[in-house]
Amino acid sequence: MLGQDVSYEQVPYFFTDQYDLGMEYCGWAGPGDYARVVFRGSTEIVDGKAPEFIAFWLTDDDRVVAAMNVNIWDVQDDLSALVKAGFSGTPADPARLADPSVPLSALLPT
């Protein structure tokens, strides 16, 4: 716009709070854009407590194209970085994505 050579690199993002569920979503996983969804945490309601999980939308070659955290906070920067890496062609290990003992920061490309 000002004659500068720049690119727009923001990862699409939205959030919503629905009663006892807080959700943040980043990336884009439209119909046909992903092969499977990998979950970290529990999607179940246990003893009346809302679920706490992260979902990762993966392509056939294990690139993260979208991620959503549900009632898990302060992870959005890491999720956005994983999506950016996926957009750039870097795959992620689905087993490590699903493993809550692996810090999200350990999954980021170096």
Side-chain angles (χ1 to χ4, degrees), residues 9-37:
E9 296 181 1
Q10 286 293 112
V11 173
Y13 167 84
F14 76 86
F15 73 93
T16 185
D17 292 318
Q18 303 289 321
Y19 301 99
D20 60 347
L21 292 177
M23 297 169 272
E24 293 178 289
Y25 176 94
C26 64
W28 173 250
D33 292 340
Y34 65 97
R36 62 187 163 148
V37 179

Side-chain angles (χ1 to χ4, degrees), residues 29-83:
D33 292 340
Y34 65 97
R36 62 187 163 148
V37 179
V38 173
F39 293 95
R40 170 188 285 233
S42 175
T43 60
E44 302 294 321
I45 297 172
V46 178
D47 296 327
K49 186 177 181 219
E52 296 179 355
F53 66 92
I54 300 172
F56 300 94
W57 282 260
L58 301 177
T59 61
D60 284 331
D61 58 353
D62 293 331
R63 291 179 300 109
V64 178
V65 293
M68 180 174 71
N69 55 304
V70 176
N71 290 342
I72 296 178
W73 307 112
D74 301 323
V75 296
Q76 194 56 48
D77 290 342
D78 288 339
L79 297 182
S80 290
L82 283 166
V83 169

